[in-house]
Amino acid sequence: MSTAAKTYIGLSVGNHNSVIAIINKDHRAEVIANEDGEHKTPTYIAFSGEEEYHGSQAKHQIVRNAQNTVAGFRDILGKQYSASMAEQHAGFAAIEAEADGSAVFVIRAGESGSELRLTAHDATVRYLVRLRTTAEEYLGRKIDGAVLAVPVWFTEAQRASISAACADAGLPLLQLVTEPAAAALQYGLGRESSSDSVALVVDVGGTGSDVSLVAATGGLVTVVASAHTTAVSGEVIDDVLVRHFAAEFTRANGVDVMGNARAVRKLRQSVEGTKRTLSSATTAPCAVESLADGIDFNSSVNRTRFDILCARTYAPLLETIEKVVADAGYTLNQVDQVLLCGGAARVRKLQSRVASLFPESTEIRDDAAEELDEVIAAGCAEQAALIAQGVADPSVQAAADLKVDVLANAVGLQINADDLAPVLRKDTPLPASRSVRVALPKGETRAYIAVSEGEPVPPKPESEEDEEENDDEDAEEEEAAPLYRPTRLLAEMVLELDAADENTRVEVSFFVGTDKKLTVTATEPVSGKTITAAIPQ
């Protein structure tokens, strides 16, 4: 985003790839291409002799020079060394412990055999300098500020560490936002202040997946619950393809691939492209020159075979989705939208498996950017634009990341013993107000109003008879909105009126302050008659 004097960018730094975005002259998010013409810059640094490489050039070093290639440094920021950390990074530059307990990457690439020891902070600074330079060379001007996305599970120490790295890299940091908040912003969640919405952000990245439930009420978005799993990721899907093609090569040539680390690295780089192609094509090639023992490998896989191979891979993600929704006190029927992001989320079968959890009324969205791994950076650029316009204050957290008081349970009008019309949903940020209008039968002289807390009615499991009946119904018929049931009666009110006619309406207003006190006011506008109930926490 460029103003008369300021140029701001949005930045997503992932474990596998990083993306830089701006808001262009057409007020749309645009991803900046790096010096190789690519929209994604691999999050790697490599050393060979006296040379230092970044991005794609560093990633290419993995095959021949993995021991001097630094990867995964983002998630090590702000952490102390552990043996599991070293195991997770096996195959790349070794990680050792410093005297103070911090983790350090050990590089032995110099011609003299000298050793270079890089902390995660050092590696991040070097990498951010390259990203800043890329943006400045592309735009032709100095970068005055950046909004940077971090995982929702980042600790305060990790947030402080990445902020310090930005400062040392000469990249002015406007604001840190969580990745689900950035994704929700790019998808336009909460843009309409008059509508409430509950959405699930499903971010399937290179090394793990994050599932976050977010609620939008009155134009304000809040992250309600989230969970992280490493059981489903781009790497896990790549592993499936690597084993498949390695077995094919071994059958054809009698040469073991899985026991050859260099051959596995070659194959892994090739299957990344195979996986990406299968998101838009029914068949994708996999070709590696001199895979093992000087033998070239050329093969392909169709999407059906790929889906069969990966069928069991997606189960942990589905379980995580169900757990996040249930732990937040919601049902799957209450989720209005599923917002997909992350490179691995482009896999079509994964998308359909996620969609199968929800009713047809839930919208499964993947339309926020040209590529799903660009969504978060684009959302950061949107936030940077809001800061530039003075709409958002960079000195405070983004709205979706603020720790605000929320409504513990839905409240609304009790229709009968089994039915509640919710007026304010669970997890509505406080203070909050909402009004509804209620029609009365003609001739009615009293308006009875029952105010209750409520909860969603769990969906009934379908029997075979139900399924047969549904098959006979009109396929175009829309699914009913999720129902709520009353759980606790809070107040009963009776508003005395003149005889109602067909135009008579009673306006019922709900207001909950930060003290959690609920005030309900019922008013008949024509006569001006009103009644109020104050309900303490």
Side-chain angles (χ1 to χ4, degrees):
M1 173 67 194
S2 176
T3 66
K6 302 289 184 182
T7 299
Y8 295 155
I9 62 172
L11 185 59
S12 169
V13 178
N15 258 339
H16 267 200
N17 292 292
S18 298
V19 181
I20 310 167
I22 60 169
I23 300 299
N24 61 23
K25 294 179 181 179
D26 297 324
H27 307 290
R28 297 174 61 88
E30 177 185 334
V31 172
I32 290 176
N34 60 25
E35 54 271 18
D36 298 315
E38 300 169 340
H39 282 183
K40 294 175 287 292
T41 301
T43 313
Y44 295 88
I45 303 173
F47 299 85
S48 178
E50 303 303 319
E51 297 294 326
E52 179 177 338
Y53 301 97
H54 298 81
S56 296
Q57 293 181 358
K59 189 175 181 179
H60 292 154
Q61 291 284 317
I62 293 175
V63 174
R64 297 176 177 273
N65 189 29
Q67 70 277 12
N68 291 313
T69 302
V70 179
F73 47 84
R74 185 203 67 172
D75 285 357
I76 298 178
L77 281 169
K79 290 183 177 180
Q80 294 292 92
Y81 171 85
S82 68
S84 61
M85 181 186 294
E87 290 173 6
Q88 290 168 4
H89 288 77
F92 294 96
I95 298 179
E96 298 179 358
E98 291 283 63
D100 61 359
S102 61
V104 63
F105 295 95
V106 181
I107 310 297
R108 298 181 179 88
E111 295 179 1
S112 62
S114 59
E115 182 179 275
L116 174 65
R117 301 175 73 84
L118 282 180
T119 65
H121 174 84
D122 297 333
T124 304
V125 169
R126 290 176 184 239
Y127 185 74
L128 288 175
V129 167
R130 178 51 61 95
L131 292 183
R132 175 178 58 78
T133 303
T134 294
E136 290 178 341
E137 290 179 352
Y138 181 91
L139 297 169
R141 52 187 179 271
K142 180 175 174 289
I143 301 302
D144 297 297
V147 172
L148 174 67
V150 294
V152 69
W153 41 265
F154 251 31
T155 64
E156 286 303 318
Q158 288 174 292
R159 293 172 71 100
S161 186
I162 201 165
S163 297
C166 287
D168 289 348
L171 181 65
L173 184 62
L174 295 173
Q175 195 175 59
L176 289 178
V177 298
T178 61
E179 290 169 341
L185 182 61
Q186 179 60 15
Y187 272 103
L189 194 68
R191 196 165 289 168
E192 297 294 332
S193 61
S194 59
S195 62
D196 294 348
S197 180
V198 175
L200 194 74
V201 179
V202 180
D203 181 0
V204 189
T207 58
S209 297
D210 291 294
V211 177
S212 303
L213 190 72
V214 296
T217 305
L220 183 63
V221 177
T222 54
V223 178
V224 177
S226 63
H228 176 73
T229 177
T230 57
V232 182
S233 66
E235 284 186 350
V236 172
I237 297 172
D238 291 345
D239 286 341
V240 173
L241 285 175
V242 166
R243 289 193 295 269
H244 168 72
F245 286 124
E248 182 179 323
F249 183 86
T250 299
R251 285 195 302 270
N253 301 286
V255 177
D256 177 35
V257 171
M258 297 307 292
N260 183 332
R262 183 174 173 181
V264 169
R265 290 195 289 267
K266 281 185 175 182
L267 191 53
R268 180 176 294 282
Q269 289 201 352
S270 181
V271 301
E272 287 181 13
T274 304
K275 176 184 66 180
R276 187 163 47 250
T277 300
L278 284 171
S279 66
S280 57
T282 56
T283 303
C286 178
V288 182
E289 184 178 349
S290 186
L291 177 57
D293 285 3
I295 304 172
D296 295 342
F297 177 67
N298 288 280
S299 185
S300 64
V301 63
N302 61 44
R303 189 184 292 173
T304 301
R305 180 60 176 160
F306 172 69
D307 290 341
I308 293 171
L309 290 170
C310 297
R312 297 182 180 179
T313 303
Y314 313 129
L317 178 63
L318 306 185
E319 292 168 3
T320 302
I321 289 172
E322 292 175 324
K323 185 177 187 304
V324 167
V325 173
D327 287 352
Y330 288 79
T331 68
L332 294 171
N333 277 16
Q334 285 182 280
V335 178
D336 301 306
Q337 302 178 62
V338 175
L339 313 179
L340 298 171
C341 57
R346 65 167 65 91
V347 175
R348 295 303 177 190
K349 189 63 176 180
L350 183 149
Q351 293 185 6
S352 66
R353 289 290 300 276
V354 170
S356 69
L357 293 176
F358 299 91
E360 291 183 6
S361 57
T362 300
E363 187 178 7
I364 311 298
R365 298 187 60 188
D366 63 354
D367 58 341
E370 290 188 12
E371 295 286 349
L372 289 178
D373 41 15
E374 298 175 3
V375 171
I376 291 172
C380 290
E382 291 278 1
Q383 180 68 6
L386 293 175
I387 292 172
Q389 295 162 11
V391 177
D393 184 354
S395 65
V396 299
Q397 288 178 281
D401 294 330
L402 289 173
K403 304 301 180 183
V404 297
D405 290 329
V406 296
L407 197 61
N409 297 293
V411 293
L413 299 176
Q414 182 170 328
I415 309 302
N416 54 48
D418 300 315
D419 196 2
L420 177 83
V423 177
L424 290 174
R425 289 192 185 194
K426 171 183 164 67
D427 292 314
T428 297
L430 302 180
S433 64
R434 186 63 54 86
S435 297
V436 294
R437 290 196 169 193
V438 180
L440 296 177
K442 188 174 181 179
E444 186 65 58
T445 59
R446 306 175 76 206
Y448 170 73
I449 298 162
V451 180
S452 292
E453 286 185 341
E455 64 183 8
V457 178
K460 293 180 180 179
E462 278 195 348
S463 65
E464 291 183 6
E465 292 181 0
D466 292 333
E467 290 178 3
E468 290 176 3
E469 290 177 8
N470 289 339
D471 289 339
D472 296 333
E473 293 176 357
D474 184 5
E476 298 295 323
E477 184 179 348
E478 291 188 5
E479 203 166 312
L483 300 177
Y484 282 75
R485 61 189 175 198
T487 55
R488 184 165 70 102
L489 182 65
L490 300 176
E492 293 178 289
M493 307 161 63
V494 177
L495 180 61
E496 300 290 345
L497 302 168
D498 299 328
D501 59 28
E502 62 272 11
N503 296 318
T504 301
R505 298 289 186 272
V506 174
E507 185 170 298
V508 185
S509 299
F510 285 64
F511 174 77
V512 184
T514 54
D515 57 0
K516 309 292 180 71
K517 178 181 176 182
L518 170 63
T519 302
V520 181
T521 302
T523 304
E524 198 284 300
V526 175
S527 66
K529 292 182 178 180
T530 186
I531 187 171
T532 298
I535 305 162
Q537 180 181 359

